[in-house]
Amino acid sequence: MGGMEEKFKAISAADFFYRNREIAGFDNPVRSTYTICRELLENSMDACEAGGYLPDIYMRLRYVEGGALEIKVEDNGKGVPRRYVKRAFGQVLFGSKYTLRQTRGIFGLGGKMAVLYGQITTNSPVHVTSSTGGMEKYSYKIMVDIERNEPLTKQEVVERNHGQWHGTVVKLKFQGDYARARPKIVDYLRHVAIIEPYAQLTFVDPDGVLYFFRRKAGYMPRPPLEVLPHPQGVDVETVRRLAERFGQGSLIDFLVENFHRVGRRIALKFLRKARLDPDMDVVELLRREDLIPKLVKAMNEFDDWLPPDPSCLSPIGKELLEIGIKKELKPEFVAVVQRKPSAYSGHPFIVEVAIAFGGGVPTSSQGEVNLYRYANKIPLLYDVHNDVSMKVIKKVKWWRYKINPESMPIAFFVHVCSTKIPYKTVGKEYIADRPEVEYEIEWGLKEAARRLKTYLARKRREESLKRRRAA
Ligand SMILES: Nc1ncnc2c1ncn2[C@@H]1O[C@H](COP(=O)(O)OP(=O)(O)O)[C@@H](O)[C@H]1O
Ligand SMILES: [Mg+2]
């Protein structure tokens, strides 16, 4: 007889993230406190922008019994439809953002990780109250059945919704460490206030301190549209799923109907080059094992597709970014540059950068540089030294622009927006160095630096003129 047989079993998605919560930013009480604030705020921002409402978000943290913290986040967003509330807050990997459109959330994970963390540290449910502006306002107390990844409803109350209120209130308890998370949370809010000067943010911390970020712009960037996948970036699984859904029909019709910016003319040109019959039935494509991989390889390699249309992106725009920087940092000078849309493996992206100088901009300390990083309007505060923007800043020869980021009051801002940010982890903390993205950041920063150089030269000329006159 051999030894005991090994035990095999499958675990649910909730169980997986419960066991591996550090990959989603829940490594310790400090980081978890920060991540919970961030995930709930991001959901609120997404809900406001998706509904076209200027965000007005209230966040409160307070101490409750047992030394735990309670967070409450209230927004004026579009609300969660009643039939989805339980799963939106009680089922990991359930969400409304699995589309090709720029959003902050992507995995259907963040909010639930907050719920899950609250549950495993305090054994209490999340309270959600929401309305989409209709007749009903509904409140739920929800927990996650971790082993089955299903929501457990502890309470359900439906009331009349007076005054067509729309929005969501989320409240949950968790064991955290506010004192040590505070600098990061406040830094995070300030980052948000810069990139979203059209948002009004109120934060009351457990010590009763009020942080208020006033709205300084009465309009928002154009909201992102949803798009079809670009042929350059697809893989076998995507094409197989689309083909199954398409069913019977010609290969050329399949391409034209399912992919981004593929017209008949280009589709024909492509199929001729790939030596595939335009009239082949898609059912046939599915029947043969080798055809889809062949098609996908050809799609990825074909050079004549039209570049992706950036309408699925929602950059901040030069004007709003400038308003945000001026409002929070009060610099003497700021140069904002928006680069033209570009793409990496079929994913469109836009890079926006800025350099601010003087005034309220602090001189960086101990050879560090002031760098504000954003991806799809999310501030990135951790792992700065691994980020592509830092790599670019280290590489550029700033002396050519007569500036020194380590000894002058200079701040850099980099915003990358894309339907697919090349994050390195699900914790969404830093951007991998894709050469295409790196190139746009570099040239954006150089353009901004050139303008700062011109400004500083003029300022020096004027000052020496003044000195000569005074002498
Ligand atoms: N404040 C909110 N307002 C409206 N909808 C929300 C809000 N918070 C969460 N949701 C809904 O719940 C879903 C799940 O949220 P979450 O777990 O954070 O995942 P993700 O944001 O990645 O989709 C979201 O996709 C959204 O539809
Ligand atoms: Mg989210």
Side-chain angles (χ1 to χ4, degrees):
M1 286 284 282
M4 282 239 292
E5 202 182 324
E6 269 191 278
K7 290 202 179 80
F8 286 82
K9 79 173 197 176
I11 62 168
S12 77
D15 210 349
F16 174 79
F17 284 103
Y18 160 63
R19 294 167 193 232
N20 299 288
R21 50 194 175 275
E22 67 288 341
I23 62 176
F26 288 81
D27 339 37
N28 55 57
V30 182
R31 180 78 184 264
S32 302
T33 305
Y34 161 77
T35 305
I36 288 173
C37 293
R38 189 188 117 157
E39 294 291 353
L40 297 185
L41 274 171
E42 276 163 19
N43 281 348
S44 288
M45 300 292 305
D46 274 337
C48 291
E49 284 174 33
Y53 305 110
L54 287 171
D56 198 340
I57 300 171
Y58 172 83
M59 174 164 88
R60 187 199 65 195
L61 271 175
R62 63 185 186 118
Y63 293 112
V64 289
E65 68 284 358
L69 283 159
E70 182 196 74
I71 185 170
K72 177 175 161 183
V73 177
E74 185 169 345
D75 67 56
N76 61 334
K78 63 179 194 171
V80 193
R82 185 169 161 205
R83 62 188 181 284
Y84 295 131
V85 176
K86 294 176 195 167
R87 298 173 73 198
F89 289 90
Q91 184 172 48
V92 170
L93 304 185
F94 179 85
S96 59
K97 300 168 199 168
Y98 287 108
T99 55
L100 281 178
R101 170 168 58 100
Q102 177 192 328
T103 51
R104 294 175 182 77
I106 28 182
F107 306 111
L109 184 64
K112 257 88 56 173
M113 285 306 290
V115 174
L116 206 77
Y117 186 80
Q119 176 174 327
I120 63 174
T121 56
T122 66
N123 196 30
S124 57
V126 60
H127 293 216
V128 182
T129 300
S130 190
S131 179
T132 52
M135 300 294 285
E136 295 180 331
K137 174 167 121 184
Y138 25 88
S139 301
Y140 291 86
K141 287 188 186 173
I142 302 160
M143 292 183 88
V144 187
D145 178 336
I146 298 177
E147 282 185 310
R148 299 157 89 167
N149 191 24
E150 275 168 16
L152 292 170
T153 313
K154 297 287 168 185
Q155 195 185 63
E156 175 173 357
V157 179
V158 183
E159 297 164 276
R160 236 196 105 136
N161 180 34
H162 296 284
Q164 292 172 308
W165 174 73
H166 54 83
T168 304
V169 186
V170 179
K171 196 163 80 175
L172 60 92
K173 292 189 193 116
F174 64 99
Q175 287 291 348
D177 182 344
Y178 177 70
R180 285 167 63 207
R182 188 175 58 89
K184 276 279 193 250
I185 293 172
V186 175
D187 200 20
Y188 178 84
L189 288 170
R190 228 162 73 92
H191 270 71
V192 174
I194 290 172
I195 203 93
E196 279 132 58
Y198 50 87
Q200 185 128 297
L201 306 169
T202 312
F203 170 44
V204 179
D205 88 353
D207 306 318
V209 180
L210 171 80
Y211 298 85
F212 180 62
F213 299 87
R214 190 183 297 282
R215 174 179 300 131
K216 270 286 164 67
Y219 65 98
M220 290 194 276
R222 184 188 46 72
L225 303 173
E226 203 175 316
V227 290
L228 298 171
H230 191 278
Q232 201 122 48
V234 293
D235 57 24
V236 171
E237 178 64 16
T238 310
V239 174
R240 193 185 53 74
R241 283 190 207 176
L242 289 170
E244 273 166 7
R245 211 176 315 144
F246 183 79
Q248 226 166 4
S250 69
L251 183 53
I252 183 158
D253 286 343
F254 171 66
L255 290 179
V256 170
E257 281 173 37
N258 285 283
F259 297 94
H260 185 54
R261 299 197 73 191
V262 177
R264 296 203 86 77
R265 196 181 52 82
I266 291 181
L268 257 181
K269 189 170 163 194
F270 161 72
L271 289 169
R272 217 172 291 134
K273 192 162 175 213
R275 293 170 191 280
L276 287 161
D277 176 10
D279 295 320
M280 184 204 318
D281 198 313
V282 171
V283 173
E284 177 64 20
L285 188 77
L286 282 162
R287 202 159 22 221
R288 280 184 39 194
E289 198 174 282
D290 59 322
L291 278 182
I292 291 181
K294 182 181 167 199
L295 172 68
V296 168
K297 186 160 182 285
M299 284 167 87
N300 293 162
E301 285 168 359
F302 186 63
D303 288 326
D304 287 338
W305 302 119
L306 294 176
D309 174 354
S311 58
C312 55
L313 301 179
S314 172
I316 304 301
K318 278 171 70 172
E319 206 177 76
L320 281 174
L321 189 51
E322 189 169 330
I323 293 172
I325 293 170
K326 285 186 170 160
K327 150 172 126 84
E328 293 302 319
L329 284 165
K330 307 207 168 16
E332 176 186 320
F333 173 84
V334 56
V336 182
V337 175
Q338 185 183 69
R339 298 284 300 170
K340 279 214 249 337
S342 179
Y344 75 91
S345 359
H347 307 295
F349 71 92
I350 293 180
V351 165
E352 300 173 290
V353 306
I355 299 182
F357 169 82
V361 179
T363 304
S364 48
S365 52
Q366 302 131 21
E368 293 275 319
V369 296
N370 295 315
L371 168 61
Y372 292 76
R373 295 176 295 137
Y374 300 91
N376 288 353
K377 301 179 201 157
I378 298 181
L380 307 177
L381 301 188
Y382 283 91
D383 301 322
V384 59
H385 292 288
N386 296 317
D387 193 277
V388 59
S389 303
M390 191 50 108
K391 184 177 164 197
V392 171
I393 290 176
K394 290 258 147 76
K395 184 170 81 179
V396 172
K397 299 185 173 57
W398 297 106
W399 52 265
R400 287 199 177 145
Y401 304 90
K402 297 202 166 47
I403 59 183
N404 183 348
E406 287 175 16
S407 68
M408 289 163 77
I410 285 180
F412 297 98
F413 303 82
V414 176
H415 178 216
V416 179
C417 56
S418 177
T419 42
K420 189 168 192 311
I421 297 281
Y423 288 118
K424 284 224 175 134
T425 64
V426 288
K428 297 188 282 196
E429 284 301 350
Y430 67 96
I431 301 182
D433 36 6
R434 285 287 185 150
E436 298 90 341
V437 178
E438 185 176 330
Y439 177 89
E440 294 299 325
I441 294 174
E442 179 173 342
W443 288 95
L445 284 175
K446 283 179 169 171
E447 165 69 29
R450 219 168 3 252
R451 286 194 224 153
L452 175 57
K453 182 185 172 191
T454 310
Y455 169 79
L456 290 173
R458 181 162 12 101
K459 187 176 158 185
R460 269 191 292 269
R461 260 197 322 275
E462 280 166 11
E463 273 169 5
S464 73
L465 207 66
K466 238 185 271 169
R467 265 200 304 279
R468 246 177 289 154
R469 278 208 200 104

